Amino acid sequence: MHLTKFMLLCGVPSVLAKCKCTPTDDCWPSTSEWESLNSTIQGQLIANEPLAKPCYAGFGNNPTQCQEISNLYEDASFREASPIGYMYPVLDTCVPINGSIAGNPVCDLGSASVYSINASGAADVAAGVKFAKDNNVRLVVKNTGHDIRARQGYGSLSIWTKHIRPELQYQEPYSPSDSSCQSTWNGSAIVVGAGYIWDEVYAFAAKHGHIAVGGGDRTVGAVGGYLQGGGHGPASHYFGLAADQVLEFQVVLATGDVVTANACQNVDLFSALRGGGGGTFGIVLAATLKVYPTQPVLKHSLSVTALSTDISALLNVSVTILSKYPTLSDAGFSGYGQLERILGVNPAYSHTFGKLLTSDGSSSNSSSEIDKAINLVNEEILDFLSSLNGTGFSVTSTFHKYDTFQDFFNSGSHNSNASNNPSPAMVSRFFDKNSLSNNQQNLTAMLEAIFPQSASQVQAIATLLELCLVGGGEVLNAQPHTAIHPGWRTTYVLAETFDVPPTDRGLQGVRQVKDYATSKKLNAMKDATPILGTYLNEADPNDPDWKEAFYGNQYSWLESVKQKYDPEGVFWCYRCVGYEGWEEITGPTLYGPLCQTT
Ligand SMILES: Cc1cc2nc3c(=O)[nH]c(=O)nc-3n(C[C@H](O)[C@H](O)[C@H](O)COP(=O)(O)OP(=O)(O)OC[C@H]3O[C@@H](n4cnc5c(N)ncnc54)[C@H](O)[C@@H]3O)c2cc1C
């Protein structure tokens, strides 16, 4: 056992055990020190309260407010609007409950920050960084709260970036903020502040007749963890990953200084932020992104629903469809497939793919382009599926043409719900062309592990396999100045599984589902694609091979950038670059104080 952990478990105060100060420690800043920080930032310090506190007995109990919170609890925008609202909290320690419930359950902040700075610009961010450093308080960054990788922070001060919203700027052509830095990009660009979500950026780009490369979900933040972690989405196949689109960043460093990072200045930081992960190199205030003229889109929607609750035959059908993904991708299709099993419900495979069309659809050239695309889908998957329709499956397939990319995007909902307690377990893996086209036996074994038949192994009440056909195309083209996992450059599909733990088996049930996902499901994925890694933003936080899986061969270089820009480890997050040397002492729960291990 590490000495620090031993000391902590023996009750030695955090300050001696080289831990970050938490509210129960003597070293925690005094009320007057917090007040002084608050006045430095013009009253924008928030003392956080758990979201559903009004549902619990005691001070603040309010049944009417509790009902309102319950109604909105799974709404992503509701969570986003709170400084401590997370879509996938490490553990929700204050779920909305009926206040009269027996046993007086407790409600506390859990892994959420104790204080948040509602930052509106560089000065607020720099003040927060300085305060955390001077007072040995753990610092985290929160934007929308879509984090899946356990980057929340027990006992921390958080910089909340949601209200850093300088007006969006459209530049045609791109005009570098540093005029001495010549750019090869002659197209248009958009300057986006840290607080915007993709829905807003898409609408702004569309108003100017352009496509921005962003997330599949509208509510994901544009410039935070998404962009810095790589960022895939409905347009990445055509133009590259979102991080590939960044022309420059404006960043607050661990020193509190504000710098520009681009291909001329702070080039190592620029490269690290283009895919090396958020929350560890600095706090990004804004990014300038390439955008592309809009094009019409052909959409294909398919669903194959089993006519019984038995999933086994559907697994074989899904493997056959999946093996055709690379051919469809090479022909310009991109999008999302899903295989879903909810206990007691007939399982289903479905997908929505789009294909950018080179012309507006009015000429004979464009109608032949559409015919060609439809014929390919027919030959590759629909001919085979039509023979199955009514024989154990119900199959539906439709094609639709949209005049602009934004019309295509808006034809889907692209709004995910926040998780209700407990958060699902997630594991993921990259799949290249070979592992999809010529690997049916391994893919079948993988799907059987993800959707086990044996009742004793089915700990999850629902399982979703998301097949993100977001690679291929431009994603395969390596770019300079990037920290993108090299595995992305051969990836066609990012496969992700989500397992929803039962609600009635407490923390033990959650742990069981998470452990099973890591040990069985992730391993089955790794067996199917031995040499590839995964997307660091949508990965299993418990993956024992996290370093290689999330960063590939980039980790040691990224660590040197971390050392240069943040040698004292002011920014720290779970399994981010610079993670080693610190540990969260979680004890019997899933969160706890952050202590040095060396
Ligand atoms: C419902 C849902 C849908 C998703 N869809 C997609 C998708 O289509 N494509 C995709 O690529 N990913 C997707 N993701 C994953 C998403 O990219 C990551 O969870 C990402 O980290 C979210 O970033 P955020 O800033 O919105 O969220 P936050 O939770 O606020 O931030 C995540 C982390 O990023 C860091 N961070 C945030 N802002 C900054 C900043 N300004 N400077 C420095 N660090 C910062 C912090 O460490 C923070 O913990 C999805 C996630 C969810 C929950």
Side-chain angles (χ1 to χ4, degrees), residues 131-161:
F131 184 88
K133 207 160 53 166
D134 291 351
N135 292 283
N136 191 32
V137 169
R138 182 173 176 183
L139 185 71
V140 302
V141 188
K142 198 249 171 186
N143 179 21
T144 65
H146 277 65
D147 178 44
I148 302 172
R149 276 261 321 284
R151 287 178 281 191
Q152 300 122 60
Y154 167 82
S156 64
L157 167 66
S158 151
I159 308 286
W160 188 27
T161 59

Side-chain angles (χ1 to χ4, degrees), residues 538-558:
E538 296 180 304
D540 179 3
N542 304 317
D543 185 346
D545 306 321
W546 61 274
K547 216 190 271 185
E548 212 193 332
F550 301 175
Y551 305 96
N553 60 5
Q554 308 266 16
Y555 192 82
S556 21
W557 169 75
L558 283 166

